[in-house]
């Protein structure tokens, strides 16, 4: 790739200088100058220029994709025999992608005694590739990696997506590395370029400040992970017809490189954050750890789960498992009440798709109000006790 | 023990705001920093060396100014630093980045533990660690919050998953990515700063690594960014007015009509 600048067209307006994610563009003596070292040809400057002064030229024609790959696959993650919600969310979106591509939707489920594998069909799968073995009970990542690689090589799907869970983010990149194909992490949007049959993978980057759309033009399959709760789960259709294909799993030939010795449950959570309909969340504005008790009281009154911003976790007021945001959990409850949370972009990235957001903060300029449905500017130590009293009353 | 830490120099963009007039990033005064998640990897490497002896080498791939990040890591206790810098590396996606790093690690020959941060704050993918492990064909464990035991080719760690913590064991060499729970990174020492100024930093390009240009950088990348845009927030909150009691009454009204209380 080459950056080409047509200095005759450049008027030195400077539109392009601020859009570069790497700060490589400047105006020198009234003309654009780009420091190519560090440039990854993202095209932001090209798009920002109203005078067509900057262009990116491809070196050579891109290789053609192997057309024998077809079908959309979802990795249906399970834990201890129970399918995760993210599997259904991905199937719901996967169904639409498969319909657009006029192809089949497959679900791959690797586990032991997985209950309700038929539900994957009800949520849109045409075929469920199900491997059942005691060796798959613990989600051993080396087994999952190699089994999924084998299945992809055998059935050749053109698109494979998985949840960006702790498991998905750890083993999916290994699958992509073995298959020598592209993988896009943490997508928030998946669409199809119907003309080229390409998966358009849109994801936040720079902490949610910028959105990037990414393609994998030549290598197959096209792979992406998607955060839980990004796509909505459709209503299941129990009458849908599909096929469950039992596939073998043999651990022989796969050397497990890591071994799970123990699992320690985080006992502080009474309602699981990811599954909660209502979340009461607290931030630095609480002032001290004891004040989380006030939020816990509100949570109890509303049957809600307790969340927090990173600031409160960093202060040691509440365990990490409650953290909502970029490096915590992504949630999408029906109601999210943010108390004393200013709303750093990293926090917003984890909760802004909630149905209703209530923000309680004493700073009217706090960014949390930009995503809120209802805003209360006031002292949370007055508002929250009042709310508890009226709800109980 | 020979420890390798992979780091990335990133713009300190989390502080960046969007100019509402032009819908562009306000970039003034943004400096490049060591990716914050990688500072935990540096600290853990240095701590292991201080406890059990050995050497910690840091590798980064980036433009020439990434040398500053390497010098900073030396001030924090890193022994040796290697800069992977070549025009051919430009435009690499995670696969091509992991491949380039894997070539550098192989060239080092001696490595027991490779530590990476859990993700970068600019790309946010967290993919380079696991891809690197696979290319080296060695074990991988993500999100390590504590190293419980490491000796004689054996590693036992505690790692975080959604539901709690897992204790895992594996053999060395291995790749781990670390979470911020693992330690509290130190500040540079005066001696470290002095050392970092005079330290020799090796620069390796495609010739030193013995790799084809087609395998690295943009040509080696399967993925391609085709569009960059700014998220739209066209949103207006309903601000609830009045004294706290009035505000709470209105809120309960709204929540009741939504069937939420």
């Amino acid at each position: 790739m080459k950056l080409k600048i047509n200095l005759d067209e450049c008027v030195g307006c400077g539109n392009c200088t601020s859009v570069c994610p790497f700060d490589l563009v400047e105006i020198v003596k009234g003309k654009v100058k780009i420091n190519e070292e560090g440039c990854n040809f993202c095209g932001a400057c090209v798009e920002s220029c109203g005078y067509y002064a900057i262009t990116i030229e491809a070196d050579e024609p891109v290789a053609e994709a192997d057309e024998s790959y077809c079908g959309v696959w979802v990795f249906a993650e399970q834990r201890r025999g129970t399918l995760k919600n993210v599997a259904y969310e991905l199937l719901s979106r996967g169904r639409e992608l498969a319909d657009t591509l006029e192809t089949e939707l497959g679900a791959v489920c690797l586990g032991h005694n997985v209950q309700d594998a038929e539900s994957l069909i009800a949520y849109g799968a045409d075929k469920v590739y199900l491997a059942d073995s005691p060796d798959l009970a613990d989600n051993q990542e080396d087994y999952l990696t190699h089994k999924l690689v084998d299945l992809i090589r055998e059935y050749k799907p053109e698109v494979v997506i998985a949840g960006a869970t702790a498991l998905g983010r750890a083993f999916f990149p290994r699958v992509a590395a073995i298959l020598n194909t592209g993988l896009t992490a943490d997508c928030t949007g998946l669409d199809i370029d119907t003309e080229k049959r390409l998966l358009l993978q849109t994801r936040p980057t720079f902490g949610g400040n910028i959105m990037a759309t990414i393609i994998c033009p030549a290598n197959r399959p096209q792979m992406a992970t998607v955060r839980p709760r990004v796509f909505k789960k459709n209503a299941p259709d129990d009458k849908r017809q599909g096929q469950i294909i039992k596939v073998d799993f043999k651990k022989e030939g796969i050397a497990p490189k890591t071994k799970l010795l123990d699992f320690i449950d985080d006992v502080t959570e009474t309602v699981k954050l990811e599954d909660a309909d209502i979340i009461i969340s607290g931030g630095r504005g609480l002032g001290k750890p004891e004040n989380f008790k006030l939020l816990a009281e509100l949570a109890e009154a509303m049957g809600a789960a307790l969340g927090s911003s990173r600031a409160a976790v960093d202060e040691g007021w509440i365990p990490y498992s409650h953290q909502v945001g970029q490096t915590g959990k992504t949630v999408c409850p029906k109601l999210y009440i943010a108390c004393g949370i200013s709303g750093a972009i990293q926090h917003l990235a984890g909760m802004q798709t909630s149905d209703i957001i209530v923000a309680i903060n004493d700073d009217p300029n706090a960014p949390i109000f930009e995503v809120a449905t209802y805003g209360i500017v006031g002292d949370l130590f007055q508002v929250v006790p009042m709310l508890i009293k009226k709800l109980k009353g | 023990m020979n420890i390798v830490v992979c780091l990335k120099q990133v713009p300190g963009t989390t502080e960046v705001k969007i100019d509402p007039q032009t819908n562009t990033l306000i970039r003034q005064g943004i400096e490049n920093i060591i990716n914050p998640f990688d500072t935990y990897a540096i600290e853990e490497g240095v701590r292991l060396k201080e406890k059990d002896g050995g050497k910690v080498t840091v590798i980064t791939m980036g433009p020439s100014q990434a040398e500053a990040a390497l010098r900073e890591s030396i001030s924090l206790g890193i022994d040796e630093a290697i800069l992977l810098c070549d025009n051919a590396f430009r435009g690499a996606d995670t696969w091509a980045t992991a491949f380039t790093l894997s070539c550098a690690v192989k060239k080092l020959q001696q490595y027991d533990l490779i530590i990476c941060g859990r993700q970068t704050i600019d790309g946010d993918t967290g993919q380079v660690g696991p891809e690197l492990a696979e290319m080296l064909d060695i074990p991988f464990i993500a999100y390590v919050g504590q190293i419980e035991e490491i000796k004689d080719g054996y590693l036992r760690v505690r790692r975080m998953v959604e539901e709690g913590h897992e204790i895992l064991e594996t053999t060395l060499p291995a790749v781990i990515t670390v979470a911020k729970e693992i330690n509290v990174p130190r500040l540079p020492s005066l001696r470290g700063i002095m050392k970092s100024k005079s330290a020799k930093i090796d620069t390796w390009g495609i010739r030193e690594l013995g790799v084809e240009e087609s395998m690295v950088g943009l040509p080696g990348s399967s993925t391609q960014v085709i569009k960059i845009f700014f998220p739209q927030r066209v949103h207006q909150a309903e601000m609830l007015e009045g004294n706290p009691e009035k505000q709470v009454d209105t809120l309960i009204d709204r929540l009741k009509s939504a069937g939420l209380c």
Side-chain angles (χ1 to χ4, degrees):
Chain A
M1 290 245 187
K2 251 191 216 100
L3 265 176
K4 273 193 85 174
I5 298 172
N6 187 344
L7 288 179
D8 294 339
E9 301 295 335
C10 178
V11 298
C13 69
N15 270 347
C16 49
T17 56
S18 54
V19 299
C20 176
F22 307 99
D23 211 10
L24 304 171
V25 186
E26 53 186 338
I27 300 292
V28 178
K29 292 180 188 161
K31 296 285 179 187
V32 61
K33 184 167 177 261
I34 301 179
N35 173 11
E36 287 196 40
E37 197 182 13
C39 173
N40 76 345
F41 308 102
C42 73
C45 55
V46 175
E47 205 163 302
S48 75
C49 180
Y51 303 91
Y52 306 101
I54 312 170
T55 45
I56 292 177
E57 287 183 356
D59 289 338
E60 52 198 273
V62 181
E64 292 283 314
D66 181 345
E67 283 178 10
S68 66
Y69 282 80
C70 71
V72 175
W73 273 16
V74 168
F75 175 75
E77 183 176 339
Q78 58 84 39
R79 187 175 174 84
R80 295 175 182 165
T82 306
L83 286 156
K84 287 203 167 181
N85 262 322
V86 68
Y88 301 122
E89 294 159 16
L90 295 185
L91 282 171
S92 301
R93 182 68 187 139
R95 181 70 260 163
E96 295 161 358
L97 299 177
D99 288 343
T100 308
L101 286 166
E102 296 175 348
T103 185
E104 280 184 344
L105 177 64
V108 180
C109 183
L110 312 175
H112 183 46
N113 292 333
V114 176
Q115 291 159 21
D116 215 14
E118 295 79 17
S119 66
L120 297 169
I121 295 171
Y123 278 96
D126 298 306
K127 285 182 178 149
V128 176
Y129 301 88
L130 179 67
D132 186 302
S133 160
D135 296 314
L136 293 171
D138 283 335
N139 279 335
Q140 210 285 336
E141 289 172 21
D142 300 298
Y143 290 157
L144 298 187
T145 301
H146 289 279
K147 188 63 207 173
L148 187 56
V149 165
D150 286 349
L151 287 170
I152 290 172
R153 284 186 172 146
E154 186 178 348
Y155 292 97
K156 296 187 167 185
E158 62 197 298
V159 170
V160 186
I161 54 179
T165 58
L167 178 70
R169 297 189 88 190
F171 99 97
F172 228 50
R174 297 176 54 195
V175 173
I178 294 173
L179 294 171
N180 188 6
T181 191
L183 170 62
T184 306
D186 274 0
C187 295
T188 54
L190 294 176
D191 287 290
I192 300 288
D193 175 340
T194 43
E195 199 183 311
K196 298 179 186 149
R197 278 186 91 80
L198 286 177
L199 183 67
L200 301 172
Q201 309 158 59
T202 299
R203 67 183 304 268
T205 179
F206 286 89
N209 278 308
I210 301 180
M211 304 298 289
T213 302
I214 292 166
I215 55 168
C216 179
N219 296 22
R220 290 292 175 270
Q222 306 165 78
M223 295 176 65
T225 63
V226 178
R227 279 205 159 196
R229 295 281 185 150
V230 162
F231 294 127
K232 298 269 182 210
K233 196 161 78 161
N234 288 342
D237 173 4
D238 293 328
K239 294 195 194 77
R240 265 198 99 251
Q241 296 292 309
Q243 194 185 352
I244 293 189
I245 299 165
K246 297 226 160 114
V247 292
D248 274 353
F249 176 76
K250 290 195 188 71
K251 67 174 174 180
E252 289 73 24
I254 307 172
K257 293 174 186 154
T258 60
K259 189 177 168 200
L260 178 68
L261 299 177
D262 197 7
F263 173 73
I264 302 136
D265 249 309
D266 247 333
V267 288
T268 49
E269 277 179 72
T270 45
V271 185
K272 272 180 77 182
L273 211 49
E274 301 95 311
D275 298 331
D277 281 336
I278 303 177
I279 293 173
I280 314 292
S281 216
R284 205 190 291 279
L286 284 174
K288 52 183 176 180
E290 296 80 63
N291 289 333
F292 259 103
K293 284 198 189 117
L294 181 65
L295 296 196
E297 202 184 327
L298 176 59
E300 204 192 326
M302 301 190 77
L306 204 53
S308 86
S309 69
R310 175 175 169 173
V313 173
D314 282 352
E315 294 283 350
W317 298 347
I318 188 164
Y320 168 75
S321 57
H322 293 263
Q323 186 180 319
V324 171
Q326 190 193 3
T327 55
K329 287 168 178 159
T330 305
V331 297
C332 181
K334 290 178 181 156
L335 173 61
Y336 188 94
I337 304 185
C339 307
I341 293 178
S342 63
I345 191 139
Q346 293 86 347
H347 186 75
L348 303 185
M351 47 64 75
Q352 62 189 357
T353 55
S354 306
D355 291 349
I356 294 179
I357 296 168
V358 176
I360 305 170
N361 203 301
D362 57 8
D363 174 9
N365 296 317
I368 190 78
F369 289 116
E370 288 172 25
V371 300
T373 322
Y374 305 115
I376 293 180
V377 176
D379 179 0
L380 76 94
F381 298 107
Q382 285 181 23
V383 174
V384 174
M386 180 79 71
L387 186 57
I388 294 170
K389 193 177 125 204
K390 298 235 173 194
L391 286 170
K392 283 185 173 167
Chain B
M1 185 152 46
N2 290 295
I3 297 163
V4 178
V5 173
C6 300
L7 71 79
K8 184 180 181 189
Q9 188 186 48
V10 298
T13 45
T14 52
E15 303 302 320
V16 158
K17 298 232 161 62
I18 290 173
D19 181 336
Q21 300 301 314
T22 58
N23 204 22
T24 54
L25 286 180
I26 300 169
R27 299 208 41 117
Q28 273 157 352
I30 300 300
E31 282 181 40
N32 288 326
I33 56 169
I34 294 177
N35 172 43
F37 291 110
D38 297 344
T39 61
Y40 303 99
I42 293 171
E43 177 66 26
E44 200 58 22
V46 173
R47 283 188 192 193
L48 289 173
K49 178 194 73 171
E50 287 170 345
K51 199 162 134 271
D52 299 325
K55 189 173 88 175
V56 196
T57 306
V58 62
I59 302 179
T60 192
M61 184 181 94
S64 54
Q65 62 258 35
E67 192 186 306
L70 295 177
R71 294 206 182 272
E72 189 182 340
S73 75
I74 290 169
S75 76
L76 296 166
I78 294 287
D79 299 297
E80 280 181 19
I82 294 157
L83 175 62
L84 307 179
C85 183
D86 196 311
N87 268 339
F89 297 153
R90 283 166 40 191
D93 69 358
T94 61
W95 195 97
T97 304
F99 176 77
T100 310
L101 289 172
S102 75
C103 295
V105 171
K106 283 178 188 162
K107 188 176 156 76
L108 287 176
Q109 290 183 336
Q110 305 260 316
Y111 53 93
D112 298 297
L113 182 66
I114 300 169
I115 314 177
C116 307
R118 59 174 282 173
Q119 68 199 68
T120 58
I121 60 160
D122 56 351
D124 280 331
T125 74
Q127 288 179 179
V128 171
E131 289 181 331
L132 172 63
E134 207 51 54
M135 289 168 186
L136 294 169
D137 197 19
I138 59 177
F140 171 72
I141 302 177
Y143 309 131
V144 171
Q146 191 192 342
I147 292 180
E148 293 196 339
E149 192 183 348
I150 179 163
K151 65 168 187 194
D152 305 332
Y154 174 87
L155 173 69
R156 189 175 69 246
V157 301
R158 173 189 275 253
R159 72 115 166 247
M160 311 185 324
V161 293
E162 283 93 349
E163 295 82 1
H165 295 87
E166 288 179 348
I167 312 293
L168 291 161
E169 65 175 12
T170 189
T171 53
L172 297 179
V175 177
I176 61 172
T177 64
V178 296
K180 67 183 169 64
E181 282 65 26
I182 198 164
N183 57 44
V184 179
R186 70 192 67 187
L187 295 170
S189 66
L190 193 61
R191 227 182 91 209
I193 293 172
M194 298 305 290
K195 192 184 159 203
S196 73
K197 284 187 178 153
S198 57
K200 182 177 160 292
I201 290 177
D202 284 334
T203 301
W204 294 351
I206 49 168
R207 197 173 335 138
E208 287 78 7
L209 293 181
V211 293
E212 296 287 324
E213 240 175 275
S214 63
M215 296 293 284
V216 297
L218 200 68
S221 299
S222 300
T223 61
Q224 208 179 310
V225 178
I226 54 164
K227 191 176 157 197
I228 295 248
F229 58 101
F230 294 93
Q232 296 294 324
R233 288 208 182 85
V234 280
H235 190 84
Q236 195 70 54
E238 180 191 345
M239 302 308 284
L240 309 182
E241 306 293 339
N243 62 24
E245 183 163 10
K246 177 88 196 314
Q247 288 174 317
V248 166
D249 284 341
T250 319
L251 178 63
I252 289 177
D253 267 0
R254 298 284 185 278
L255 296 184
K256 270 189 180 150
S257 57
L260 287 165
C261 71

